[in-house]
Amino acid sequence: MPLRLIFMGTPDFAVPTLLELMAHGHEIAAVYTRAAKPAGRGMKLQPTPVEQQARRLGIPVLTPSTLKIPEALDDFRAHRADAAVVVAYGMILPQAILDTPPLGCFNLHASLLPRWRGAAPINRAIMAGDAETGVMVMKMDVGLDTGDVAMAERLTITDKMTAADLHDALAPLGADLMVRAMGALERGKLQLTKQSEHGVTYAAKIDKAEARIDWNQPAGAVLRHIHGLSPFPGAWCEIATDSEPARVKILRCEPANGAGAPGAVLDDRLGIACGEGAVRIIELQRAGKAPMKAADFLRGTPLRPPARLA
């Protein structure tokens, strides 16, 4: 028999899992997500991507500000779910909530645990220069991504991948993995393995203060820093203009030939020297403007040697 599930998620990353669970016949008793927030020029309340999808599907939506009060626990229990599926929900689940579904609460996490526990595993894996990452389904406990692992899928990280690219690759991979895990749970065949105590790292939330590009770093590190922060918050640098330095976000780049003082413009195609080697900027964004290709940017802002990025 299909499972009766509570689904808990917030961003775009969680939507494919919700859709796949429904497509495979599981009953979604309720969707929990974060409350709508003001967004856009008019600062109108914007429901989360998960809430928007759930309402289109006619699923009851709850947006509690906390799960730690008795009323929240009573509401959760009233759904009489077999299990809960959690994908980037953004709120800590207390032990009483974790203990409510008879089959447990299962989280989809975008890393190969125990590496990159925490808030920003996709960004951190790219920024650290990891060769691979993946998705894992784990049975949740009260620790930070410390639960026993049920299933995993691996994915190679290439130097061409931005955080957006990796996000878009992992989301459907994770959805398929969670469907398989819930199928095994339904049959009583889901096997759990304790996480290793070795190789634990933490994916701290991205701080805008770390977004400035350090051209003194080797080209490989600069490239991964740029791609790991693309498109948000966006790694940035400053370009000298006739009036004052202009801040520009670099969204995509590639390895390039050449050498010079860190930050030096090496040619008329946005080759930039790093501490070792060089990168070529492919896509960038001026403040208040839409992202653009390097060729389009150069038509309005010619940059040639001996210009320098800071």
Side-chain angles (χ1 to χ4, degrees):
M1 293 290 291
L3 297 174
R4 181 174 168 85
L5 301 171
I6 291 171
F7 185 85
M8 312 178 81
T10 295
D12 287 319
F13 185 81
V15 171
T17 303
L18 172 61
L19 295 177
E20 282 297 301
L21 288 169
M22 291 197 67
H24 283 76
H26 295 293
E27 179 187 0
I28 308 298
V31 161
Y32 280 65
T33 189
R34 301 306 298 270
K37 292 184 177 180
R41 291 187 177 181
M43 295 302 286
K44 294 181 180 179
L45 287 178
Q46 183 71 24
T48 70
V50 165
E51 179 175 352
Q52 293 176 49
Q53 190 62 247
R55 294 203 181 279
R56 281 194 286 267
L57 296 169
I59 306 171
V61 175
L62 295 92
T63 59
S65 58
T66 179
L67 296 172
K68 297 180 179 180
I69 58 175
E71 293 82 0
L73 180 59
D74 290 342
D75 289 343
F76 196 83
R77 286 173 173 164
H79 301 301
R80 300 189 179 279
D82 300 311
V85 169
V86 183
V87 186
Y89 178 41
M91 188 181 295
I92 300 296
L93 273 58
Q95 188 67 57
I97 292 287
L98 295 174
D99 291 341
T100 294
L103 298 181
C105 298
F106 294 85
N107 177 246
L108 178 69
H109 186 74
S111 81
L112 299 176
L113 295 166
R115 187 162 177 79
W116 302 128
R117 294 173 178 172
I122 291 175
N123 310 85
R124 296 298 177 188
I126 294 176
M127 293 168 73
D130 290 1
E132 68 173 0
T133 187
V135 282
M136 282 186 162
V137 172
M138 66 175 173
K139 187 172 184 180
M140 298 176 71
D141 58 22
V142 290
L144 178 63
D145 299 325
T146 55
D148 296 347
V149 172
M151 291 183 174
E153 285 285 354
R154 295 175 178 268
L155 185 71
T156 299
I157 303 176
T158 71
D159 281 343
K160 292 183 178 181
M161 282 183 169
T162 65
D165 297 332
L166 187 53
H167 168 284
D168 291 349
L170 290 176
L173 191 67
D176 177 72
L177 189 69
M178 183 60 79
V179 164
R180 286 191 276 135
M182 291 300 99
L185 183 67
E186 177 187 341
R187 298 187 300 272
K189 301 291 186 181
L190 190 65
Q191 297 183 346
L192 300 172
T193 304
K194 286 194 176 298
Q195 287 189 42
S196 172
E197 296 180 2
H198 302 287
V200 175
T201 58
Y202 291 94
K205 185 177 179 180
I206 299 297
D207 188 329
K208 289 185 178 181
E210 62 185 306
R212 185 163 191 166
I213 299 168
D214 181 1
W215 298 109
N216 292 292
Q217 293 293 312
V222 170
L223 181 148
R224 285 298 192 105
H225 180 249
I226 288 169
H227 285 178
L229 296 177
S230 176
F232 183 83
W236 61 273
C237 62
E238 289 184 341
I239 295 177
T241 65
D242 293 338
S243 52
E244 59 184 21
R247 180 180 293 198
V248 176
K249 290 183 180 181
I250 312 300
L251 301 177
R252 196 179 292 270
C253 62
E254 63 184 4
N257 295 321
V265 177
L266 298 176
D267 52 38
D268 59 359
R269 296 189 299 122
L270 282 185
I272 310 297
C274 301
E276 295 176 14
V279 298
R280 186 172 309 285
I281 297 171
I282 298 173
E283 187 177 2
L284 64 169
Q285 182 178 15
R286 297 194 69 153
K289 304 292 185 180
M292 63 179 68
K293 300 297 183 183
D296 297 328
F297 175 84
L298 288 170
R299 276 193 283 272
T301 310
L303 276 179
R304 298 181 179 86
R308 190 169 178 176
L309 308 186

